[in-house]
Amino acid sequence: MTKVSVAHNSSKLHKPRLSSKAKVAIIGGGVAGSTIALRFAELGLDTTLIEKGPSLVNGPPICHLHAGGNLYREICDEQCLTLLQQSIDTVKVYPKSVNVRPTVIALPKTDHGQPEDLLPRLEKLRARYSELVKADVRNKVLGEPENYFRFYSRTELEALVDLPLPTVAKKDSDWLVAFAQHVDLNSLKFPVLMVQEYGLSAFRFAAIASLAIEALPSCHLQTNRQVVDITQPENGLGWQVTTQHQQSQAIECNHFDYVINACGFKSGEIDDMVSAKRKRMVEFKAAYVAHWAKCEGLWPEVVFYGERGTPQGMAQLTPYPEGYFQLHGMTQDITLFDQGLVASCDTSAQPKLAQRFIEKIDKQWPEQLISHRTLGSIEHIAQFIPAFSSAEAAAKPLFGAQQIPGEDADLRAADVSFYGKHYARTEIVKASSALAAADAILADLVACDLISAAELGCYLTEHYFPVSQQCSEAQVSDRAMELAAQREYPLALAKIFS
Ligand SMILES: Cc1cc2nc3c(=O)[nH]c(=O)nc-3n(C[C@H](O)[C@H](O)[C@H](O)COP(=O)(O)OP(=O)(O)OC[C@H]3O[C@@H](n4cnc5c(N)ncnc54)[C@H](O)[C@@H]3O)c2cc1C
């Protein structure tokens, strides 16, 4: 298995010299806002990142990179190809946030589809990956293009059953030994698919964003500050942004030339402040954390397809070090929630989630519900991996609400939209779309004459992240574990998985 190796293109590029005095405010320090802040501050733009919480990237969970969108059979090929390209860019900029392990996708016998139905899309993805690598070898971050996916027959899996469990993957089939030994092969259709879809660690991402933002003099981070109002001055130039400190309640008002609304599922609240109309949906979902003390060998990400919203909904097992797993089950009793998906209306761009979801986000979950849903997620996986029934709940759930712009609840590849002058809103559904949002907003700053295209030169499209990429492996791990501890999750979720 090829390890991620990224050429630091930035070291070959000259340092940008931007004379722009524009002041940019980014509201919301999730993966979208933090990525934009890094993209701009690395170029030397005066950037203020305003986050109402105490730390960055602390929104809904992130565990899959989605390099090809193979977890979603229901989305169109174009979205999958977009996610592939965006994920490659994400690995190049944030290699230390990536957990390098493949994904194994199996179709249970109860599923309506056939493994061969997946082939046409996989071939398109492999062809696109190959083109991208030919165009620029730095894009080769998911291994050799010809190995992007491979199907394994039942005979091939049965040949692995008696092998000793590898502790390090020297070849792709090493990832299948524990799978072959523990999965009930009689419950599956064959062949099973292995695809180079890696993991993305939210804690490591948060660590890189925090470390780099602290080191970038042109980025002004304001945590514990909530934006409570935005108005346009009488001359119509820029925005007056009012913030309130979460503890002291102190109010501050500042002028910015350009405002970016990166408030995730709360983006509609900021849209409403500036009277920007927008149709969007918001969905509350949760994943669960289990510890499998008897876990042996190497586990890839394992996905058992199923019909979303039914009791047979997709089951996902995401491995972390030391026997910890993050679990999803796309049923109403596990990851999804009755009335968890809501839409905006004509009078407000902010979809209104029921109070019981807001309480879970802002306060905490009832203990009984944590235990009920986590045990449900363990049982859901144990249908296919019987020994997994000995796993135990290991932490509170990883949960939150995410926005989906427009009216298609299946949309997975989205980035940004603009309203009027000098106002952008990020609308990412997946973390890997954050860089595309940053690129598009940078182009809008040029279009608005706030930055000179000539001064920006190649940096309009080249990702220049020298400070972010200088964070060492040890620094990232230490900060990621600190954040996991503060947020009361097992430290294993913050450790590198390889
Ligand atoms: C269960 C679940 C699993 C998921 N798994 C994955 C996955 O594996 N891979 C993946 O790519 N994506 C995944 N997602 C989606 C992903 O979590 C989101 O798409 C992503 O977090 C969105 O990032 P964001 O920066 O747009 O929003 P957020 O992360 O929500 O950040 C918005 C920020 O804005 C701040 N804010 C809001 N209002 C204000 C205000 N008025 N003033 C100041 N700050 C404000 C908030 O505090 C927050 O920090 C998952 C989502 C869920 C719910």
Side-chain angles (χ1 to χ4, degrees):
M1 174 109 202
T2 317
K3 293 274 290 179
V4 176
S5 79
V6 178
H8 284 217
N9 55 349
S10 48
S11 58
K12 295 191 197 116
L13 299 171
H14 63 278
K15 196 173 180 334
R17 288 181 202 283
L18 298 183
S19 56
S20 171
K21 297 277 175 282
K23 284 180 178 291
V24 178
I26 302 165
I27 312 170
V31 69
S34 300
T35 295
I36 297 163
L38 289 173
R39 176 89 165 96
F40 290 5
E42 292 266 22
L43 293 169
L45 280 177
D46 188 307
T47 307
T48 301
L49 178 59
I50 307 164
E51 165 55 46
K52 72 175 180 184
S55 60
L56 298 175
V57 192
N58 192 15
I62 296 161
C63 61
H64 307 111
L65 178 64
H66 294 295
N70 291 292
L71 268 55
Y72 304 109
R73 275 186 297 189
E74 63 282 11
I75 68 175
C76 63
D77 292 354
E78 245 352 277
Q79 286 193 59
C80 291
L81 292 165
T82 302
L83 288 172
L84 175 76
Q85 163 89 64
Q86 294 179 344
S87 299
I88 289 171
D89 289 344
T90 303
V91 180
K92 285 160 70 183
V93 169
Y94 301 110
K96 295 184 190 86
S97 68
V98 177
N99 284 329
V100 181
R101 41 82 188 142
T103 295
V104 173
I105 297 180
L107 276 71
K109 282 190 175 151
T110 49
D111 188 71
H112 62 81
Q114 298 302 328
E116 52 273 22
D117 300 343
L118 309 174
L119 197 56
R121 169 181 290 174
L122 285 161
E123 283 173 342
K124 278 189 198 167
L125 286 163
R126 182 170 60 191
R128 177 65 60 87
Y129 179 39
S130 188
E131 279 163 28
L132 290 168
V133 171
K134 264 190 209 126
D136 185 344
V137 73
R138 291 173 300 177
N139 287 328
K140 198 164 91 178
V141 295
L142 305 170
E144 293 299 330
E146 62 268 28
N147 299 335
Y148 175 68
F149 74 90
R150 206 202 129 168
F151 281 101
Y152 287 82
S153 67
R154 180 161 186 157
T155 316
E156 284 173 300
L157 285 181
E158 282 173 345
L160 304 173
V161 167
D162 294 323
L163 293 186
L165 283 165
T167 48
V168 181
K170 296 198 175 118
K171 52 188 183 307
D172 277 348
S173 61
D174 289 344
W175 287 103
L176 282 168
V177 179
F179 178 95
Q181 294 180 1
H182 287 287
V183 174
D184 173 10
L185 300 182
N186 289 325
S187 67
L188 304 181
K189 293 181 185 178
F190 286 90
V192 298
L193 167 68
M194 179 186 282
V195 58
Q196 300 306 326
E197 288 242 26
Y198 297 163
L200 189 61
S201 162
F203 292 111
R204 299 181 71 82
F205 201 107
I208 295 167
S210 321
L211 289 163
I213 283 171
E214 284 162 18
L216 282 161
S218 53
C219 189
H220 317 292
L221 174 62
Q222 301 184 356
T223 48
N224 293 308
R225 281 219 158 254
Q226 178 169 3
V227 170
V228 290
D229 196 19
I230 306 183
T231 53
Q232 206 147 32
E234 275 177 17
N235 62 12
L237 296 176
W239 300 94
Q240 290 294 123
V241 177
T242 308
T243 60
Q244 181 166 35
H245 195 272
Q246 294 288 78
Q247 278 91 48
S248 70
Q249 309 295 310
I251 296 272
E252 228 181 64
C253 188
N254 292 296
H255 180 268
F256 295 95
D257 300 294
Y258 195 104
V259 163
I260 298 158
N261 169 2
C263 287
F265 88 99
K266 295 263 190 177
S267 296
E269 290 185 357
I270 305 291
D271 276 347
D272 284 351
M273 287 177 199
V274 300
S275 303
K277 292 219 175 296
R278 184 67 174 140
K279 283 192 172 152
R280 62 163 61 80
M281 281 167 280
V282 155
E283 186 167 27
F284 182 89
K285 293 188 297 181
Y288 304 86
V289 185
H291 186 239
W292 188 16
K294 293 187 182 148
C295 170
E296 289 179 323
L298 286 174
W299 279 87
E301 165 89 22
V302 183
V303 174
F304 300 99
Y305 272 162
E307 197 180 332
R308 198 177 203 262
T310 70
Q312 283 76 44
M314 182 164 77
Q316 292 166 237
L317 181 76
T318 306
Y320 286 91
E322 299 160 20
Y324 285 90
F325 291 87
Q326 185 173 336
L327 313 177
H328 284 82
M330 293 299 159
T331 78
Q332 290 298 121
D333 289 333
I334 303 176
T335 288
L336 308 176
F337 290 76
D338 189 27
Q339 297 177 331
L341 178 67
V342 287
S344 56
C345 63
D346 288 345
T347 52
S348 170
Q350 179 60 44
K352 306 277 182 298
L353 274 174
Q355 193 52 30
R356 63 181 186 282
F357 299 119
I358 301 295
E359 270 168 26
K360 286 189 182 71
I361 293 170
D362 290 344
K363 295 180 190 152
Q364 59 180 21
W365 287 49
E367 276 304 321
Q368 211 189 346
L369 188 63
I370 296 182
S371 151
H372 175 72
R373 285 200 173 238
T374 310
L375 293 179
S377 70
I378 291 170
E379 274 171 34
H380 199 57
I381 297 288
Q383 298 173 76
F384 307 106
I385 309 176
F388 196 75
S389 59
S390 68
E392 290 177 345
K396 60 186 176 177
L398 290 149
F399 60 93
Q402 68 184 107
Q403 67 167 328
I404 308 169
E407 294 176 289
D408 173 9
D410 288 336
L411 180 69
R412 292 293 176 268
D415 40 61
V416 66
S417 66
F418 299 92
Y419 165 78
K421 272 190 161 179
H422 299 195
Y423 179 83
R425 49 166 107 69
T426 61
E427 299 183 322
I428 65 166
V429 186
K430 295 293 158 201
S432 49
S433 304
L435 278 167
D439 293 348
I441 299 170
L442 194 59
D444 194 52
L445 285 167
V446 171
C448 295
D449 281 334
L450 290 172
I451 309 178
S452 144
E455 285 181 353
L456 199 54
C458 65
Y459 300 111
L460 185 57
T461 49
E462 279 282 349
H463 290 144
Y464 181 77
F465 284 80
V467 175
S468 313
Q469 294 180 332
Q470 261 164 27
C471 306
S472 71
E473 195 79 53
Q475 281 174 316
V476 174
S477 290
D478 288 351
R479 181 63 68 91
M481 285 193 280
E482 221 175 275
L483 289 169
Q486 273 168 20
R487 297 174 191 177
E488 299 174 359
Y489 287 104
L491 300 191
L493 300 195
K495 293 182 184 172
I496 195 89
F497 183 88
S498 55

